[in-house]
Amino acid sequence: MGMPSPLPVRDGVGATRLRVPMSGPWPTVAAYMTERFFHLDPDQLLQRFDRGEVVAHDGRPLAGDTPLGVEEFVWYYRDPPVDRHIPFEIEILHQDEHLLVVDKPHFLPTIPGGKFLQNSALIRLRRLLDNDELAPIHRLDRATAGLLMFSTRPATRGAYQLLFENRQVQKVYEAVSALPEGWDAAAPAVGGRPFPIVYRNHIRKDRAELRVQVDDVREPNAETLIEFLRADDRVVHTLLRPHSGKMHQLRVHLAALGIGILNDPFYPELRGELPDDFDHPMQLLARELRFTDPISGAERVFTTTRSLQEAP
């Protein structure tokens, strides 16, 4: 169980916890934080101590001269970034005592991070529903649209999280890719393999890397069933059934087969940080979630109302 925050949620956003070294070359907690957050104005950071905005585990404000080694963890509120506006709305598909299911638009992150705080699905929904206990059960990439599940109550959250940990949720996605060279409409195939294709490899996420890495030596830890839906003279439309849930798995697997997802800024080539092009979202959609509800025992099936604009 995580360490509870001594600070309440504010504007839908929880306080940030920071682990502080118990020893080191810094005479005070403030000195460590000044060096740790070197990109911030040190005077403004010290003023936060003076205003009592950096607190210990019991909510007690720390002073600017609190010596290092007194507290291992401190909490504070992040200064909110100037959020980029995401001009798309979340659609609520289902809400009950334990569970919330929504249709997330492209470009909206699941949780706060980086340049996005209020413009995240979690914070928008916490404010809309006035429920600071709302928490995501799983996540979608910011560039991916479709079904996203949230827990509305901490008491039953673990039961739904276990469904994903134990791979008891059947997930279905759709993707649209550029028609590969040499496409044969009479015998649909990609990467030299006819459909349906089971693709496996080993994916790892290295710290500080934007993209995941493929390790061809280690045993596969990611598996996707890829089925052909339709094609025209521009694109091929596929149905994806991931057996595992590794980061960027579907994007990596399709790119490896030579049908990288349309408008994917990461795979097969990293295009660098570009402004969002709202007219050309990445063509990946979380289409369906199916599972046995751990609380009621009922069979649950949720289907997106969205579609991919480039689908044939």
Side-chain angles (χ1 to χ4, degrees), residues 72-88:
E72 185 176 5
F73 295 96
V74 301
W75 281 260
Y76 61 94
Y77 292 112
R78 286 177 54 197
D79 285 330
V82 178
D83 270 29
R84 299 185 201 171
H85 178 57
I86 309 298
F88 307 109

Side-chain angles (χ1 to χ4, degrees), residues 3 18-22 69-75:
M3 189 178 296
L18 174 68
R19 187 169 193 163
V20 180
M22 297 303 285
V70 171
E71 297 292 337
E72 185 176 5
F73 295 96
V74 301
W75 281 260

Side-chain angles (χ1 to χ4, degrees), residues 32-211:
Y32 168 73
M33 291 183 67
T34 299
E35 183 173 315
R36 170 82 162 71
F37 302 115
F38 63 89
H39 55 290
L40 301 179
D41 184 325
D43 290 334
Q44 290 186 7
L45 193 150
L46 291 172
Q47 288 171 16
R48 299 191 69 175
F49 279 88
D50 294 339
R51 295 195 298 265
E53 295 177 356
V54 182
V55 306
H57 68 280
D58 55 2
R60 174 174 36 87
L62 300 181
D65 60 357
T66 299
L68 196 76
V70 171
E71 297 292 337
E72 185 176 5
F73 295 96
V74 301
W75 281 260
Y76 61 94
Y77 292 112
R78 286 177 54 197
D79 285 330
V82 178
D83 270 29
R84 299 185 201 171
H85 178 57
I86 309 298
F88 307 109
E89 299 301 322
I90 304 172
E91 181 183 356
I92 294 177
L93 301 181
H94 171 85
Q95 184 178 3
D96 62 31
E97 182 183 0
H98 309 285
L99 187 66
L100 175 72
V101 182
V102 304
D103 235 344
K104 185 186 83 68
H106 294 286
F107 301 104
L108 188 71
T110 299
I111 60 172
K115 300 175 182 177
F116 301 93
L117 188 62
Q118 296 297 330
N119 259 314
S120 64
L122 175 62
I123 304 309
R124 281 192 186 184
L125 290 166
R126 278 182 174 177
R127 299 184 73 175
L128 175 67
L129 302 175
D130 193 24
N131 181 359
D132 289 337
E133 295 184 331
L134 199 69
I137 300 170
H138 65 121
R139 298 183 189 181
L140 291 179
D141 292 341
R142 188 171 83 86
T144 305
L147 298 178
L148 187 57
M149 288 171 42
F150 291 82
S151 162
T152 61
R153 299 180 63 216
T156 55
R157 183 168 302 149
Y160 289 99
Q161 290 172 330
L162 279 174
L163 290 177
F164 284 89
E165 291 176 19
N166 295 332
R167 298 181 180 176
Q168 294 173 322
V169 179
Q170 297 177 45
K171 297 174 284 185
V172 181
Y173 291 74
E174 292 180 38
V176 176
S177 310
L179 198 71
E181 213 172 302
W183 176 260
D184 183 355
V190 292
R193 305 188 193 185
F195 291 101
I197 299 166
V198 176
Y199 193 88
R200 303 181 183 92
N201 64 3
H202 188 99
I203 292 173
R204 72 171 194 269
K205 175 64 170 69
D206 294 339
R207 192 172 182 179
E209 292 290 335
L210 289 174
R211 304 199 304 171

